Amino acid sequence: MANNFRQWHALELGKESLHQRIERFISLYKNLGTDVDRVSYIDLRYDTGAAVGWFPEQELGQENTDDEDR
């Protein structure tokens, strides 16, 4: 899995049906593929779906520049 979790702002699971929500997260995460690097947050507090927030493109470009300086 490519993404470094400390980049993310939040992973919201809610209080109910945690096992199902974790399974949904794993499935979603796998389906994101290379787009997982663009994810800001994932909200799984919905009964059957999820909301995914994305980092702005300019913020991603800044991270790549910062990585090159190291």
Side-chain angles (χ1 to χ4, degrees):
M1 294 183 187
N3 194 305
N4 184 343
F5 278 101
R6 68 177 178 248
Q7 291 180 15
W8 291 23
H9 293 161
L11 172 61
E12 297 284 351
L13 292 173
K15 296 180 181 178
E16 299 176 9
S17 306
L18 286 178
H19 187 265
Q20 293 169 339
R21 292 173 194 220
I22 291 169
E23 286 179 352
R24 198 172 345 132
F25 167 74
I26 292 168
S27 176
L28 175 61
Y29 192 92
K30 289 177 181 178
N31 285 315
L32 285 169
T34 59
D35 287 333
V36 75
D37 293 331
R38 297 177 38 227
V39 173
S40 171
Y41 68 86
I42 295 179
D43 186 346
L44 292 157
R45 294 177 289 175
Y46 305 94
D47 290 337
T48 59
V52 178
W54 305 96
F55 284 115
E57 289 294 325
Q58 56 195 195
E59 194 171 318
L60 290 172
Q62 181 63 40
E63 284 181 14
N64 291 338
T65 302
D66 291 345
D67 289 345
E68 291 171 3
D69 293 339
R70 293 180 194 170

